[in-house]
Amino acid sequence: MSFSAEVRDELSRQEPACEYCDLATLAALARVCGTLSLAGSGRYRLQIATETGAVARTMIGLTHKILKLKTEFTVRRSVLHKVRNYLIALPDQPDLAKALVLLGILDRQGNLVRGVPHHVVARPCCKLAYIRGALIAGGFIADPRGDFHLEIAVQGEEFARALADLIGSLGVPARVNARRGAFAVYIKSAEDIKRLLETVGASRSVAEIDEARSVKSVKNDVNRRVNAELANQTRSAGAAQRQLELIAELEARGLRDGLPQALEDFCRLREAHPDLSLRDLGELADPPLSKSALYHRVLRLEKLLDS
């Protein structure tokens, strides 16, 4: 099961905080993944297509519980993508038009509601239930072991911006982006994604995000240390090679035989251990010498060649 599916499943099992919360969840489900069609004058058909079992289960359960309407349910299997497609339809029936007004899909004049219906999200708990329903219906949450990203795919720019504002009212900034004729309400900050999921009740999913962030932090720290060590080794190897070239040039010029004992000791030590850093080389000296002391000896050798 993908991380998105886990989050959707967890959210679909949340208990309502008040008697109207289930209506808010159902309204969001119908609005985000539903298609409304006219079946004649004043006659409608609402159809919800989804690949997510949590959406199908929640949609059917709440429709029967709240609206008391008849539903048609079909399961199809996609041979190409090897997934199930769930099709839930509310066919034309006596109380469907009233139900569409109650859900905030139509207004009392029979016009489509473009934004988020105010009467559905009037209470703070119903606002959370509506956002929860939108996440269940169209939410995608990237696996937290990779990049952090959350988005809700919706139809209609006005609705997308209204939903982003609704999420923003929780203190979680959300943005809107056009996507191939549709719109995505998205959040990219890991902290904001956590805050939103915590607020709507996905505590188990938040714990998974925290664990993934901890693992990612450890891996990043290890990678930084390894890269730094490799860089140090590369620098040390380059410096050691230059020192060997310096010693070879002193010898070629006939200056090696007249070196002071301290410089001669350094040359022999470097020739014996061509791969060590100055720090490690100093530990082999007798008595041991600091990196700074050996570096000054290198400078003295360079001055001999410059003179």
Side-chain angles (χ1 to χ4, degrees), residues 4-13 29 50-60 86 136-137:
S4 288
E6 290 179 12
V7 174
R8 289 176 170 183
D9 184 70
E10 182 179 9
L11 292 176
S12 71
R13 300 179 189 279
L29 284 169
T50 180
E51 296 177 356
T52 307
V55 175
R57 181 180 68 244
T58 306
M59 186 71 198
I60 293 173
Y86 303 98
I136 295 170

Side-chain angles (χ1 to χ4, degrees), residues 31 153-158 160 176-184:
R31 181 64 180 81
V154 301
Q155 295 291 326
E157 183 175 4
E158 191 171 341
V176 175
N177 192 20
R179 295 276 179 84
R180 298 178 183 177
F183 293 87

Side-chain angles (χ1 to χ4, degrees), residues 45 51 67 86 124 197 202 210 278:
R45 178 182 177 86
E51 296 177 356
L67 304 179
Y86 303 98
L197 294 181
D210 283 335
L278 284 179

Side-chain angles (χ1 to χ4, degrees), residues 158-204:
E158 191 171 341
F159 178 71
R161 298 200 178 281
L163 181 59
D165 289 342
L166 194 66
I167 294 172
S169 69
L170 304 179
V172 179
R175 299 181 179 180
V176 175
N177 192 20
R179 295 276 179 84
R180 298 178 183 177
F183 293 87
V185 179
Y186 69 95
I187 305 167
K188 292 193 74 71
S189 161
E191 288 301 325
D192 289 336
I193 292 172
K194 272 186 56 182
R195 189 180 305 116
L196 178 61
L197 294 181
E198 281 176 339
T199 304
V200 297
S203 56
R204 186 181 69 231

Side-chain angles (χ1 to χ4, degrees), residues 253 301-307:
R253 291 190 188 183
L301 292 175
E302 290 177 344
K303 286 183 178 180
L304 285 174
L305 289 176
D306 292 339
S307 59

